[in-house]
Amino acid sequence: NAGVMQNPRHLVRRRGQEARLRCSPMKGHSHVYWYRQLPEEGLKFMVYLQKENIIDESGMPKERFSAEFPKEGPSILRIQQVVRGDSAAYFCASSPTKGAGDEQFFGPGTRLTVL
Amino acid sequence: GQSLEQPSEVTAVEGAIVQINCTYQTSGFYGLSWYQQHDGGAPTFLSYNALDGLEETGRFSSFLSRSDSYGYLLLQELQMKDSASYFCAVKGGYQKVTFGTGTKLQVIP
């Protein structure tokens, strides 16, 4: 059973371009979380999704950021018109059920660098 | 909202025991988790406490006191490979998980 997959692992964009980060949860997992991590800092919650639904996006910046988890295919975190401050590691995690206590399984992350 | 506090850095000697504390404030509480993250790597799950008391998994143990909004991670027989960042995380209302800022553990010979 493959773990959480994220691609690309490294992404370089120039200011103003779009960044699309993909996350394929573990097989059988229907809950996906996105986190952002700046160097030497903790994980900042961005958004929690289930298939075709955004459950909690309280950590998402109001502009330029969007996320989806379609019925088929991976979850996508999209950043439009990137700025240097968007440079960070973006981690996706998945869990199997909604029940309290479920372990989150993290992907390897996408390191975004904005030039 | 949810907030967590943990020390930013801890140094301990190989073979010793170290305790990493975490205090939290949250609206709604399901449990406290601990994750380990090596430099450049992904966080990996260590433990979860939903009820008061101590949970032991090998060299690692985790404790929770819900009345005190406090927990800790205990690492015994420290090894050099335990050098990493350790995050506590609270699952609160709407299943939202909030992570602490992390404790960087350095194990020295």
Side-chain angles (χ1 to χ4, degrees), chain A residues 33 35 37 40-45 48 55-56 58-59 91 98-104 106-109 111, chain B residues 30-31 33 35 37 39-46 48 87 91 93-102 104:
Chain A
Y33 309 80
Y35 297 89
Q37 186 175 39
E40 305 298 320
E41 292 191 11
L43 292 152
K44 292 286 196 293
F45 168 82
Y48 162 40
I55 306 303
D56 181 350
S58 58
F91 288 96
K98 185 181 178 181
D102 289 316
E103 172 184 350
Q104 292 193 8
F106 281 80
R111 271 84 180 162
Chain B
Y30 287 99
S33 300
Y35 287 79
Q37 185 181 30
D39 280 347
T44 56
F45 175 83
L46 292 176
Y48 175 79
F87 295 90
K91 180 173 276 191
Y94 300 103
Q95 311 296 317
K96 178 178 175 180
V97 177
T98 301
F99 281 78
T101 51
K104 192 160 189 173

Side-chain angles (χ1 to χ4, degrees), chain A residues 41-77:
Chain A
E41 292 191 11
L43 292 152
K44 292 286 196 293
F45 168 82
M46 298 183 75
V47 62
Y48 162 40
L49 310 104
Q50 294 177 26
K51 285 285 187 182
E52 300 184 278
N53 285 304
I54 296 175
I55 306 303
D56 181 350
E57 57 181 348
S58 58
M60 290 276 275
K62 294 288 186 282
E63 298 177 349
R64 303 188 297 108
F65 284 72
S66 62
E68 63 177 8
F69 188 16
K71 187 176 180 181
E72 301 290 339
S75 175
I76 306 286
L77 179 67

Side-chain angles (χ1 to χ4, degrees), chain A residues 70-114:
Chain A
K71 187 176 180 181
E72 301 290 339
S75 175
I76 306 286
L77 179 67
R78 183 182 177 206
I79 311 172
Q80 296 178 288
Q81 300 174 342
V82 295
V83 300
R84 288 216 174 103
D86 297 333
S87 295
Y90 292 83
F91 288 96
C92 163
S94 72
S95 67
T97 68
K98 185 181 178 181
D102 289 316
E103 172 184 350
Q104 292 193 8
F105 295 81
F106 281 80
T110 294
R111 271 84 180 162
L112 173 65
T113 302
V114 179

